[in-house]
Amino acid sequence: MSPRLRLLAGFALVCLLASACGDNDDDGRSGTGSQSTAQAAGTATPAAGAAVPTADSIPEPGVTSSPTVNPEPEPDGGSQLAPNDQPQEPSLVLIPVVSLPDPIALVARPGTGRGTGDLYVATRDGRVWLLGADGDEPPEVVLDIGDLTTTDCEEGLLGIAFAPDGSSLYAHYTDLRGNNQIVEYPMSGHQAQGDKGRAVLSVDEPACNHNGGHIAFGPDGYLWLGFGDGGGANDMFNHGQNLDSLLATMVRIDPEAADESGYAIPSDNPFVNGSARPEIWAYGARNPWRFSFDRATGDLWIADVGQNDWEEIHVLRAVDGWAPGANLGWPLFEGNDRFAGTATPDDLDFPVHVYSHDVGCSITGGHVYRGSAIPHLEGAYVFGDYCAGRLWALTIDDEGVDTRVELELSVPQVTLVSFGEDASGELYVLSFNGTVYRLETAQ
């Protein structure tokens, strides 16, 4: 990777931490982090429509909760909102669960623990921690690949996933050259066997940002991965619409039926006929920062980070077979607006929801809530914005009308990096202030 491109990506990260940077802005997912545990109250939630946060405005660690869940004003005109006189629902709080340095992914291991499953948290420095089902023991490091990665720019350990039977752990990280690596580690008891890692897939990165990094097994039993467009800005490496590259794509592979390449290609992938890389399921992503499958419907929700103006969410419906070969539009479109070129391909999948950079500047994808502790969130997609630190719930009705509701919750600005889901469907929020929170109703 050239020093010039590393400098470019490093500038982009600084630009994000300071403010939204305008036409040549590029986003980051880095931060120095803090090991202090956040308090349960005391931070002011940014007002709807407020300017993108500046470094001087970043509050002290904390979370907020309002006594009601009210729809927010919609300055961007991107969706319709619920009426202001809707019945009040129980207020929500974020309860600190554990303090870890830069937690970046949380998953439950299948077949373990009690209702929640044993929870494993990846930290960006290359460690995976076991929290345990009961939460009454200190976290334990079960895998340490810190010598294989770096936390420069947007790099590091970015995602983890368990095989459907819990027998192996998959890690997605950037190596010391900045390239994406997906490695399988067999489990022995509750420990991952770091000395027995098996390389599954490697994808070269031309710059140090837009690595994507999320990884998950779908309800089909296959491994899904999200990759960014290779970094820089303006799709400068021309990967967005390039079907000969795995960058800027959603990938679907079968690592448990590995051939000489480390994985097999599912026979129903859309490009197995040789017209494109057969690993590709969807393309045209800028930086898919977290995707998830609705455990009730199987729908695939993809949050894709925008550049100058818009953040976007796509839904590939299970009843449509997850729209094989879907084109998420980058760089032809940012959200619903033309960004580059003049082509409008027939395979375009426009987002179900967008929000403008008057509200935030870097989406953090979440999950459709299917737990039991917060009934009024049932079926809502809970997500947030990295820059603003705010949490929302999104619903889509049968006519496709999208409604975004402010949850009146936040974590410190420029720290909202991820969401997680336990075995019972309850949600967790991960912040680069060094805290993993659980979403609950106020007592």
Side-chain angles (χ1 to χ4, degrees):
M1 187 183 304
S2 72
R4 183 181 70 83
L5 291 181
R6 285 194 174 273
L7 180 61
L8 169 65
F11 167 76
L13 173 62
V14 172
C15 203
L16 168 65
L17 293 176
S19 65
C21 303
D23 290 345
N24 293 320
D25 170 40
D26 207 46
D27 54 90
R29 290 285 176 177
S30 302
T32 57
S34 167
Q35 298 192 33
S36 63
T37 301
Q39 303 302 311
T43 304
T45 303
V52 173
T54 66
D56 291 339
S57 71
I58 297 173
E60 292 301 312
V63 297
T64 63
S65 175
S66 176
T68 61
V69 178
N70 293 320
E72 65 176 72
E74 185 71 22
D76 53 49
S79 66
Q80 292 192 4
L81 295 172
N84 287 325
D85 59 355
Q86 68 176 8
Q88 291 187 356
E89 301 289 358
S91 59
L92 302 177
V93 292
L94 293 174
I95 302 298
V97 174
V98 67
S99 177
L100 293 171
D102 284 358
I104 199 165
L106 177 150
V107 296
R109 184 182 178 190
T112 61
R114 299 179 181 175
T116 62
D118 283 346
L119 299 180
Y120 288 72
V121 177
T123 52
R124 191 165 160 253
D125 60 7
R127 290 178 288 178
V128 178
W129 305 71
L130 169 65
L131 300 190
D134 299 326
D136 55 0
E137 296 181 359
E140 175 186 356
V141 175
V142 300
L143 177 67
D144 189 345
I145 55 171
D147 58 340
L148 303 179
T149 189
T150 173
T151 57
D152 294 340
C153 187
E154 293 180 22
E155 298 167 340
L157 175 56
L158 303 176
I160 56 174
F162 279 102
D165 63 0
S167 63
S168 55
L169 175 70
Y170 291 81
H172 186 166
Y173 66 91
T174 55
D175 64 20
L176 298 178
R177 297 171 299 169
N179 296 324
N180 290 284
Q181 303 294 337
I182 290 82
V183 178
E184 176 192 29
Y185 297 95
M187 297 295 293
S188 177
H190 61 267
Q191 292 277 341
Q193 296 180 278
D195 59 343
K196 296 183 179 179
R198 178 181 72 89
V200 174
L201 176 64
S202 178
V203 178
D204 289 350
E205 283 278 350
C208 67
N209 59 336
H210 295 188
N211 302 303
H214 196 55
I215 178 172
F217 278 87
D220 54 0
Y222 294 129
L223 185 63
W224 294 67
L225 308 103
F227 293 103
D229 66 4
N234 304 308
D235 191 26
M236 61 186 295
F237 303 106
N238 297 314
H239 289 127
Q241 298 292 305
N242 180 5
L243 286 168
D244 292 325
S245 171
L246 295 187
L247 294 173
T249 73
M250 296 291 298
V251 162
R252 179 180 183 248
I253 58 175
D254 183 357
E256 298 184 352
D259 56 20
E260 64 276 3
S261 68
Y263 56 90
I265 305 295
S267 61
D268 57 347
N269 270 17
F271 300 110
V272 293
N273 62 3
S275 61
R277 287 288 298 265
E279 300 92 338
I280 296 173
W281 184 268
Y283 67 106
R286 182 173 180 271
N287 193 28
W289 191 254
R290 303 320 192 197
F291 61 86
S292 62
F293 291 91
D294 182 340
R295 61 171 60 197
T297 67
D299 294 342
L300 174 57
W301 292 69
I302 305 168
D304 198 17
V305 178
Q307 179 164 306
N308 297 336
D309 298 308
W310 298 100
E311 303 301 303
E312 61 191 77
I313 297 170
H314 297 259
V315 181
L316 306 185
R317 301 291 182 185
V319 296
D320 299 325
W322 297 307
N327 183 350
L328 305 185
W330 177 253
L332 300 175
F333 291 85
E334 182 187 15
N336 296 309
D337 289 356
R338 173 68 64 179
F339 184 87
T342 60
T344 306
D346 292 339
D347 58 2
L348 280 175
D349 180 272
F350 283 97
V352 298
H353 181 74
V354 299
Y355 66 90
S356 80
H357 285 189
D358 291 331
V359 175
C361 74
S362 187
I363 193 169
T364 296
H367 296 265
V368 175
Y369 181 76
R370 298 296 181 184
S372 59
I374 314 174
H376 69 276
L377 281 185
E378 170 68 22
Y381 178 70
V382 178
F383 71 105
D385 187 89
Y386 176 75
C387 301
R390 301 163 63 187
L391 276 67
W392 297 292
L394 176 69
T395 57
I396 313 291
D397 70 14
D398 293 340
E399 282 70 47
V401 176
D402 51 323
T403 301
R404 187 178 78 234
V405 175
E406 173 71 62
L407 292 184
E408 307 285 345
L409 291 168
S410 71
V411 298
Q413 295 168 339
V414 199
T415 73
L416 178 54
V417 69
S418 195
F419 290 79
E421 186 182 37
D422 67 24
S424 62
E426 302 304 330
L427 297 185
Y428 296 74
V429 176
L430 282 64
S431 168
F432 271 173
N433 74 353
T435 308
V436 175
Y437 303 93
R438 185 171 53 247
L439 182 64
E440 298 182 2
T441 56
Q443 299 300 316

